[in-house]
Amino acid sequence: MENWHDFEVSSRREIIALLRSIGEKNQLIRMLVHGESDVCVTSILEVDADAGNVILDCSISPDQNRRILGAKRISFETTLDKIRIMFGGEHIESCTFEGSPAFKMALPASLIRLQRREFYRMATPVSNPVRVMIPQPAELGGGSKAFPLADISCGGIAILDNSLVLGDTIGKVYADCRIELPEVGPITTGLQIRNSLDLTLLNNKSNRRLGCQFVELPRSALNAVQRYITKLERERNARIAGLG
């Protein structure tokens, strides 16, 4: 997801409640040391709201524990009731909890909470691609030009621009774009470029993949996107079942 702030939780009370729930349900947490390939699986042992601390289980590897304690920043990722939770920590300290070694860090000032429907992306068909019609400026001849989709989510789409006419300016908005969703119907929305990736295909031709966020997508259009994603997922599951 490009717009993390849309899913940011900054309420101290809510952060404490979420972290306590993760601990009470014994959810495993991936702990990643920034700048390293180190990944450690940990869990929350206690959330001390009065002291403003979170107590975490430490690694069984002394070397890894030393790297964690020496890291400037640590990333954490887990799930809670099928919701993806991510947060960061700084200045991890060693401590003891109920007589065993542990880590201690300050409560995060914020965390990211992503429900499955908010970040789940579904690849669109390659053989018969879904296309988006994007209005072109007058200097490019006006009218609208069709671009195939690479994937779709409830937050946006990825476009393949093999003619490199859209540009790659992050933040640029194209208004009144039309997407014809097979067996669901058309939707009209604004699209904002959020990321760009230039690709070289096997035939040495260039292509550009643009990650775009929906802008002011009407509720009815969002419902249509959800129905189309459900349709794609059902078709994919049917293919997998057939292969089995």
Side-chain angles (χ1 to χ4, degrees), residues 36-210:
E36 302 278 351
S37 58
D38 265 351
V39 177
C40 172
V41 176
T42 185
S43 59
I44 293 176
L45 302 175
E46 185 179 60
V47 178
D48 188 338
D50 294 333
N53 292 326
V54 181
I55 309 298
L56 300 155
D57 199 5
C58 59
S59 172
I60 59 173
S61 166
D63 288 340
Q64 191 172 48
N65 287 333
R66 281 192 289 271
R67 289 193 293 271
I68 291 168
L69 291 171
K72 293 183 178 179
R73 185 165 176 81
I74 305 287
S75 293
F76 300 90
E77 181 176 343
T78 186
T79 59
L80 178 66
D81 300 327
K82 298 184 179 180
I83 296 175
R84 187 179 176 192
I85 306 288
M86 294 174 286
F87 56 96
E90 299 175 350
H91 308 302
I92 307 295
E93 302 175 8
S94 60
C95 68
T96 57
F97 179 78
E98 296 182 350
S100 298
F103 290 136
K104 179 175 67 174
M105 68 173 225
L107 278 168
S110 64
L111 53 76
I112 303 298
R113 180 178 57 192
L114 292 172
Q115 293 189 35
R116 181 176 182 270
R117 64 175 181 271
E118 291 164 339
F119 70 89
Y120 184 68
R121 290 185 177 273
M122 175 64 75
T124 49
V126 176
S127 57
N128 186 24
V130 181
R131 300 184 185 275
V132 55
M133 301 297 296
I134 300 181
Q136 300 295 288
E139 60 267 24
L140 292 179
S144 293
K145 184 175 177 62
F147 299 88
L149 271 60
D151 63 40
I152 186 169
S153 75
C154 289
I157 57 176
I159 298 171
L160 296 176
D161 176 18
N162 57 12
S163 52
L164 307 182
V165 298
L166 291 176
D168 57 357
T169 303
I170 305 302
K172 184 172 183 178
V173 175
Y174 290 91
D176 300 320
C177 302
R178 180 183 172 93
I179 308 171
E180 189 75 40
L181 299 174
E183 299 180 33
V184 173
I187 66 168
T188 300
T189 179
L191 291 173
Q192 183 182 51
I193 297 176
R194 302 299 302 175
N195 58 69
S196 172
L197 178 64
D198 287 341
L199 308 169
T200 301
L201 306 181
L202 293 177
N203 57 9
N204 287 326
K205 290 186 178 180
S206 296
N207 204 343
R208 178 171 289 157
R209 185 184 185 281
L210 297 172

Side-chain angles (χ1 to χ4, degrees), residues 21-42:
S21 293
I22 292 168
E24 289 166 0
K25 295 188 177 184
N26 296 315
Q27 288 295 115
L28 295 180
I29 302 171
R30 292 178 69 248
M31 180 164 54
L32 173 66
V33 179
H34 281 215
E36 302 278 351
S37 58
D38 265 351
V39 177
C40 172
V41 176
T42 185

